[in-house]
Amino acid sequence: MKKIIAMMMALMLVLTGIAVFTACDGGEENKGSTETTTAAATTEPAENEAPKVLKMATNAYFQPYEFYKDGKIVGIDAEIAAAIAEKLGMTLEIVDMEFDSIITAVNEGSVDFGMAGMTVTEDRLKEVDFSTSYANGKQVIIVKEDSPITTADDLFAEGAAYKVGVQLGTTGDIYATGDFGAENVTTYSNGNEAVLALLGGSVDCVIIDNEPAKALVAANAGLKVLDTAYANEDYAICIKKGNTELLDAINNAIKELTADGTIDAIIAKYIK
Ligand code: GLN
C-alpha cells in the first residue's frame, strides 16, 4: 500500500512539473489556455518533436482570400489560418483542391479544416460545423461593359433567359441554379474559367463573390461588376462535425485575433 501511495505521489510530482513547465512556456496570459485546448484536440507532440501540422483545404484561385504568389499560396485566409495555427502551437500546411472537394476532404479527415471564402449555408451546416464568421462576403454579377444586364433585377425580368456562369459548388452556383434553372447555369472549376467563358460569349454573366470579382475584372479588360449585389453572406472555417475540441480551439483563436486587431489588419492589407 505504501508503495502505491509513494508511486502516486511521484506521479503527481511529475504532473505538477509538467503543468509548471507548460505555464512558463505559455508566455502571455491567454496563450496557456489556448495551448491546453489544442493539446486536448490533438496528440501531444513528444519533447523536441517538430510542431504538429494543421492541414487546411482550400481552392487557391480566389483572390484576395487565397491565390498563388511566387509559387506560394497567400491571401486573407492563408494569413488568418497561419495566425490561428500559431496560436495553437502548430504549423500550417495548405492543401489546394477543387472548391467542391473541400467538405469531403474535411469529413474524410485528410485535412483538419476547410477555409476558402466559404459561405455558411443551411445545407452545408448539415454536413460540417462552421467556426465563428471571420469575414462578410457578397455574391455579385460580372458582365461585359456593353451588356444589356444592368442590375440584378434584369436577370429576373419576365422572359429573360440569360446564361449564367458560376464556379461549381459555390453559393453562386447553388442560388443561380435555384433562381434560373440548371439549364441556364454553366459551372466552371474556378472564377477565371467562368470569366473566360463570359469574354468568349458562352455565358451572359458570371455570379461570384465580390472580392474575386473585382480581381477578375481588374485582370480582364471589357468587364464590370454590377452595383447591385445578388446575395449577402458570411465566411467561416468548416470543421468535421463533432470535432468540437478543434472547433473550440479555432473559435478561441478567432476571438483573440479579432480582439487584438490581427484579423482586421490582415483583411485591410488585401482589401483597400
Ligand atoms: N463564398 C462562396 C461559397 O462558399 C464561394 C467560395 C469559393 O469559391 N472559394 O460557395
Side-chain angles (χ1 to χ4, degrees), residues 14-38:
V14 171
L15 287 175
T16 319
I18 292 172
V20 169
F21 180 74
T22 312
C24 295
D25 197 36
E28 321 116 29
E29 252 178 82
N30 287 338
K31 213 169 155 200
S33 64
T34 314
E35 284 184 350
T36 315
T37 323
T38 319

Side-chain angles (χ1 to χ4, degrees), residues 1-11:
M1 189 62 184
K2 259 191 192 151
K3 212 171 161 191
I4 293 173
I5 292 171
M7 271 171 68
M8 280 174 70
M9 281 181 70
L11 187 65

Side-chain angles (χ1 to χ4, degrees), residues 62 66 99 116-119 124 139 167 169-171 209 233 235:
F62 198 69
E66 38 269 326
F99 181 77
M118 189 181 279
T119 307
R124 287 178 186 158
Q139 296 295 310
Q167 184 184 350
T170 61
T171 43
D209 300 54
E233 28 195 44
Y235 293 163

Side-chain angles (χ1 to χ4, degrees), residues 48-181:
N48 298 330
E49 210 176 88
K52 229 181 139 2
V53 173
L54 187 65
K55 269 198 192 177
M56 151 177 162
T58 199
N59 173 250
Y61 297 90
F62 198 69
Q63 209 172 337
Y65 294 91
E66 38 269 326
F67 57 101
Y68 283 94
K69 196 179 173 202
D70 304 325
K72 229 184 116 209
I73 299 174
V74 297
I76 295 172
D77 288 349
E79 285 202 29
I80 294 178
I84 291 174
E86 200 189 328
K87 285 251 176 229
L88 306 193
M90 298 170 90
T91 331
L92 181 72
E93 184 188 316
I94 304 180
V95 188
D96 188 15
M97 60 182 69
E98 296 289 315
F99 181 77
D100 205 26
S101 306
I102 296 173
I103 286 183
T104 311
V106 165
N107 281 335
E108 281 173 359
S110 60
V111 294
D112 298 301
F113 67 92
M115 192 174 189
M118 189 181 279
T119 307
V120 181
T121 70
E122 288 300 315
D123 281 344
R124 287 178 186 158
L125 276 166
K126 288 178 196 150
E127 296 180 81
V128 281
D129 285 337
F130 277 101
S131 71
T132 344
S133 173
Y134 61 89
N136 300 116
K138 53 181 177 181
Q139 296 295 310
V140 296
I141 302 160
I142 307 178
V143 290
K144 281 195 195 170
E145 261 162 8
D146 58 357
S147 172
I149 307 167
T150 58
T151 68
D153 286 345
D154 290 344
L155 295 179
F156 297 89
E158 189 73 40
Y162 290 114
K163 299 285 174 212
V164 182
V166 294
Q167 184 184 350
L168 180 68
T170 61
T171 43
D173 178 9
I174 299 159
Y175 304 155
T177 304
D179 285 339
F180 313 114

Side-chain angles (χ1 to χ4, degrees), residues 153-231:
D153 286 345
D154 290 344
L155 295 179
F156 297 89
E158 189 73 40
Y162 290 114
K163 299 285 174 212
V164 182
V166 294
Q167 184 184 350
L168 180 68
T170 61
T171 43
D173 178 9
I174 299 159
Y175 304 155
T177 304
D179 285 339
F180 313 114
E183 67 281 12
N184 290 313
V185 178
T186 311
T187 55
Y188 299 92
S189 71
N190 57 59
N192 201 42
E193 281 179 26
V195 158
L196 291 179
L198 173 63
L199 287 168
S202 8
V203 294
D204 302 305
C205 67
V206 169
I207 296 183
I208 191 165
D209 300 54
N210 188 37
E211 292 305 325
K214 286 199 250 170
L216 288 165
V217 166
N220 294 279
L223 301 176
K224 65 178 180 189
V225 177
L226 296 186
D227 291 334
T228 43
Y230 176 60

